[in-house]
Amino acid sequence: MAYRSSTNESLPVRIVLIVVAVLILSLFLLLPLAAVFIEAFRNGYDVFIAALTDPVAMSAIKLTLFAAAIAVPLNTIFGVSAAWIVTKFRFKGRSFLLAMIDLPFAVSPVIAGLVFVLLFGARGWFGPWLGEHNLKIIFAVPGIALATTFVTFPFVARELIPLMETQGSDQEEAAVTLGARGWTIFWRVTLPNIKWGLLYGVLLCNARAMGEFGAVSVVSGHIRNKTNTLPLHIEILFNEYHSSAAFACAALLALLALVTMAIKSLVEHFTGHQAGGAAK
Amino acid sequence: MKRSSFLSLALATVALVAIPACKPKAVAAGSGTRLLNVSYDPTREFYEAVNVAFKKKWAADGKGEINIEQSHGGSGKQARGVIDGLEADVVTLALAGDIDVIAKEAKLLPADWQSKLPQNSSPYTSTIVFVVRKGNPKGIKDWSDLIKDGTQVITPNPKTSGGARWNYLAAWAWANKEYGGDEAKTLDYITKLFKNVPVLDAGARGSTTTFAERKIGDVLLAWENEAFLTKKQFPGETEIVYPSLSILAEPPVAVVEENAKKHGTAELAKAYLEFLYTDEAQDLAGQNFYRPRNEKIAAKYSNELPSIPLVTVDKDFGGWAKAQKAHFDDGGTFDKIYSRGK
């Protein structure tokens, strides 16, 4: 063996541990995934295609992509700025900012949704003003984009902060001594150092944005062709006894996740098995 | 350096708030006038059929193309949505109480909305029946069988579901009659009944899925139309049992006047609801296992939808406002059965 084992557990212990891990993985991850795809194709390929090309499903897919297209760039900008500020500087309220970034992870999505109803609902804080200006947020597309953005807020920042923390600001400081200015340093020094970590964060953010159910369900209003995202559409189909169609859409969503994971693995491969490491 | 990063953070924050907010109609596209019908759970199939027929008629009358949007969910939840700004042009909910709340809390329609259309603004009625497994293995025949040990009853949560409130009142009416109006004994019966409920879903459709698809429970308390639909969707798996006494459920419809005014759909919304009283829509109601109000058309479906003794909310519970307060509001009898401990 090329490597010496770093642990000294006996063989039976190792076998038991491996078996337990494989068992749990199969039960909780592989089996449900397989079930989704089997159910989706149970009534044949035609049913699968028909379920996805149905106009209601198409509009749900479009809305899901649209919400992700708003949430992901916003959170990318936010994530990079927040990670930059938190790791390159020491200032008052820094740990408070760090805690705030984690907030969307900590609160239940349902509460996130309800908070938006409380703020922007017809009887919410800003409801009367929005009503007067004929702006609709809740039970309309902006609310869905907003809820999605909120829930996926921390992904990019959380990915970058540890990475930038370990990198320190030596290179930036060197750049300053050579006369570089803010943006130049960001584009030529910082960004190249974090790009794989950033990509990884963006991918995770995107996967979650497309899959979000709870917060979006609260602010959606469930209007067909209008405010139904793909996850909500799956629930409706299931409730209407269109099981195969529901699983067809679920399979599409799972597929999107799998593609994301595949790209993620590729990214890891390129970074030499470091989770978004500094090596190019 | 410090300044520019602060700047980008500020920019990101502004963008986060501003961009989604300025795009209110990003995905809204399509042609013609829109009408949003916010309805309760089991009406999906019925309104799907009604919308097709109404659109055809509206176009044939030379009034142009229209687009009818549907939203479905537990009746109470839907009412809550309309109050919070879900801009329904018409509501077609499970019980008058839910529309009363919209009128009271959000003032989107007048308090006397129920007198605007014939027959209490209920173009179709229904009742509450039992759905049991094929062959009725537990021998469930009447309300008294529901509190037996080892019988699992599936019903949605009366706090969120209209159907569940009808279920609850039907059970209450039977027990009240059975125990000669003794309220303590009636409450005791209801407590025992809910002790047998393993899952409280938020809406009627959720309960049906729990019973029929996930195969939980021995008996489902359901809308009559939902019971027939289950029989159709899961052929040979369920049977319908009519109890000795049930309740006349009048799901009402109303134009949400303030919203319709705002959208310029007042005329369309009114015509849409009036269409529900036409022979064509009444027949569709019958086909979807609702009891048509039109007696001639109701007669056509009397074999499928047999007449059984029915109590009414108005006569036996003093109207929805009173029933809601006594049973379902905070501190009502439903809260009592849970505070008494399971």
Side-chain angles (χ1 to χ4, degrees):
Chain A
M1 275 224 295
Y3 301 100
R4 216 159 54 85
S5 174
S6 56
T7 58
N8 47 9
E9 268 84 10
S10 61
L11 188 68
V13 173
R14 266 183 280 166
I15 290 176
V16 166
L17 283 174
I18 291 169
V19 166
V20 166
V22 168
L23 218 66
I24 290 176
L25 269 180
S26 328
L27 239 111
F28 285 96
L29 294 172
L30 298 179
L31 202 67
L33 198 62
V36 165
F37 283 97
I38 290 168
E39 281 291 322
F41 286 102
R42 201 171 59 175
N43 292 356
Y45 186 69
D46 296 343
V47 178
F48 179 80
I49 291 299
L52 295 183
T53 49
D54 176 69
V56 182
M58 288 298 272
S59 108
I61 293 169
K62 269 187 221 153
L63 181 59
T64 302
L65 294 177
F66 179 79
I70 287 188
V72 174
L74 279 179
N75 286 335
T76 306
I77 297 172
F78 166 79
V80 173
S81 329
W84 167 290
I85 214 167
V86 160
T87 55
K88 307 285 177 191
F89 309 100
R90 293 286 181 271
F91 53 91
K92 255 194 179 161
R94 180 177 170 272
S95 41
F96 178 71
L97 186 64
L98 269 171
M100 289 305 285
I101 292 169
D102 282 339
L103 193 69
F105 274 167
V107 297
S108 155
V110 174
I111 293 169
L114 287 175
V115 164
F116 287 121
V117 172
L118 193 69
L119 288 177
F120 303 118
R123 284 150 37 96
W125 290 8
F126 305 115
W129 184 85
L130 290 168
E132 270 167 39
H133 294 78
N134 217 4
L135 289 170
K136 275 178 69 179
I137 293 188
I138 299 300
F139 306 123
V141 175
I144 290 170
L146 203 61
T148 308
T149 308
F150 179 84
V151 174
T152 56
F153 204 55
F155 280 92
V156 174
R158 266 290 137 209
E159 196 56 44
L160 290 183
I161 289 170
L163 175 63
M164 289 167 81
E165 195 96 26
T166 49
Q167 283 176 359
S169 26
D170 300 353
Q171 295 190 13
E172 277 87 352
E173 278 159 14
V176 173
T177 61
L178 294 174
R181 302 246 304 266
W183 282 111
T184 318
I185 295 173
F186 177 74
W187 288 112
R188 314 267 310 249
V189 180
T190 310
L191 196 62
N193 275 339
I194 60 167
K195 64 182 175 195
W196 292 114
L198 180 62
L199 186 59
Y200 186 84
V202 167
L203 286 172
L204 276 181
C205 179
N206 186 53
R208 180 63 196 272
M210 290 191 298
E212 175 54 23
F213 178 84
V216 168
S217 172
V218 176
V219 298
S220 142
H222 306 273
I223 309 167
R224 260 160 237 232
N225 279 328
K226 208 169 159 191
T227 62
N228 251 344
T229 62
L230 199 52
L232 300 182
H233 184 58
I234 292 170
E235 191 203 19
I236 286 183
L237 285 172
F238 187 71
N239 278 343
E240 287 178 0
Y241 308 109
H242 299 306
S243 243
S244 339
F247 279 106
C249 291
L252 178 71
L253 210 54
L255 208 64
L256 290 174
L258 287 178
V259 168
T260 307
M261 288 300 125
I263 299 176
K264 193 206 92 176
S265 304
L266 278 179
V267 170
E268 275 177 355
H269 177 75
F270 277 115
T271 59
H273 298 283
Q274 296 168 25
K280 220 177 88 179
Chain B
M1 195 160 94
K2 201 165 178 174
R3 239 178 55 206
S4 67
S5 50
F6 265 119
L7 187 75
S8 45
L9 181 67
L11 271 178
T13 318
V14 169
L16 191 79
V17 178
I19 293 177
C22 332
K23 289 198 156 182
K25 273 167 194 148
V27 172
S31 63
T33 317
R34 295 164 170 276
L35 184 82
L36 174 58
N37 176 2
V38 170
S39 194
Y40 62 111
D41 254 335
T43 58
R44 296 160 201 263
E45 292 76 11
F46 170 58
Y47 278 110
E48 228 164 77
V50 166
N51 292 350
V52 171
F54 180 72
K55 265 192 246 178
K56 219 191 255 166
K57 183 173 170 284
W58 193 257
D61 290 350
K63 291 179 177 164
E65 289 279 315
I66 49 161
N67 208 336
I68 303 173
E69 291 163 346
Q70 287 291 143
S71 168
H72 294 275
S75 187
K77 186 182 149 217
Q78 294 291 74
R80 177 83 241 180
V82 174
I83 291 169
D84 283 329
L86 180 57
E87 292 193 357
D89 298 285
V90 299
V91 282
T92 53
L93 295 181
L95 45 89
D98 284 330
I99 304 183
D100 280 339
V101 175
I102 300 173
K104 205 174 96 193
E105 300 254 323
K107 311 249 181 302
L108 292 173
L109 65 171
D112 65 340
W113 61 271
Q114 207 167 8
S115 61
K116 306 264 168 183
L117 288 163
Q119 281 146 328
N120 276 337
S121 290
S122 306
Y124 41 83
T125 67
S126 191
T127 187
I128 298 300
V129 301
F130 300 169
V131 182
V132 297
R133 308 259 173 229
K134 184 80 196 161
N136 198 357
K138 297 256 166 148
I140 293 158
K141 294 211 172 60
D142 205 358
W143 294 99
S144 54
D145 299 319
L146 303 187
I147 57 168
K148 284 184 182 155
D149 281 344
T151 301
Q152 287 196 320
V153 183
I154 303 294
T155 172
N157 185 348
K159 291 271 182 185
T160 53
S161 155
R165 272 174 266 177
W166 290 111
N167 291 347
Y168 187 97
L169 292 185
W172 187 278
W174 175 85
N176 194 48
K177 195 176 148 219
E178 180 78 8
Y179 302 118
D182 184 333
E183 179 153 347
K185 278 189 185 158
T186 305
L187 195 61
D188 207 46
Y189 168 81
I190 297 279
T191 309
K192 278 189 196 145
L193 174 61
F194 274 87
K195 237 188 226 168
N196 281 349
V197 177
V199 190
L200 267 186
D201 286 290
R205 187 52 65 88
S207 282
T208 311
T209 319
T210 298
F211 181 81
E213 200 131 14
R214 292 167 54 200
K215 314 244 181 288
I216 296 174
D218 304 304
V219 52
L220 168 73
L221 306 185
W223 292 100
E224 187 178 37
N225 60 294
E226 191 78 1
F228 275 98
L229 197 67
T230 312
K231 227 170 120 179
K232 212 165 92 180
Q233 293 289 343
F234 299 88
E237 289 182 29
T238 61
E239 278 176 22
I240 297 171
V241 173
Y242 281 88
S244 66
L245 180 82
S246 192
I247 191 161
L248 176 72
E250 295 183 305
V253 300
V255 176
V256 186
E257 294 186 9
E258 292 304 317
N259 288 346
K261 227 185 274 167
K262 196 163 132 194
H263 302 156
T265 51
E267 188 206 355
L268 172 65
K270 189 161 170 271
Y272 178 70
L273 294 186
E274 278 166 357
F275 178 73
L276 297 173
Y277 292 88
T278 61
D279 287 1
E280 191 183 359
Q282 289 282 302
D283 203 52
L284 287 176
Q287 282 170 30
N288 285 283
F289 314 108
Y290 285 94
R291 297 179 172 220
R293 283 287 199 181
N294 181 317
E295 279 171 22
K296 221 168 64 204
I297 293 168
K300 214 172 110 184
Y301 294 97
S302 61
N303 273 344
E304 276 183 304
L305 311 172
S307 79
I308 57 167
L310 299 174
V311 298
T312 71
V313 171
D314 286 339
K315 256 190 252 150
D316 300 82
F317 292 92
W320 262 111
K322 220 172 139 196
Q324 176 73 29
K325 194 159 180 292
H327 297 289
F328 309 118
D329 279 352
D330 291 341
T333 61
F334 181 67
D335 280 347
K336 271 186 212 147
I337 64 172
Y338 277 96
S339 60
R340 283 167 64 161
K342 286 199 101 175

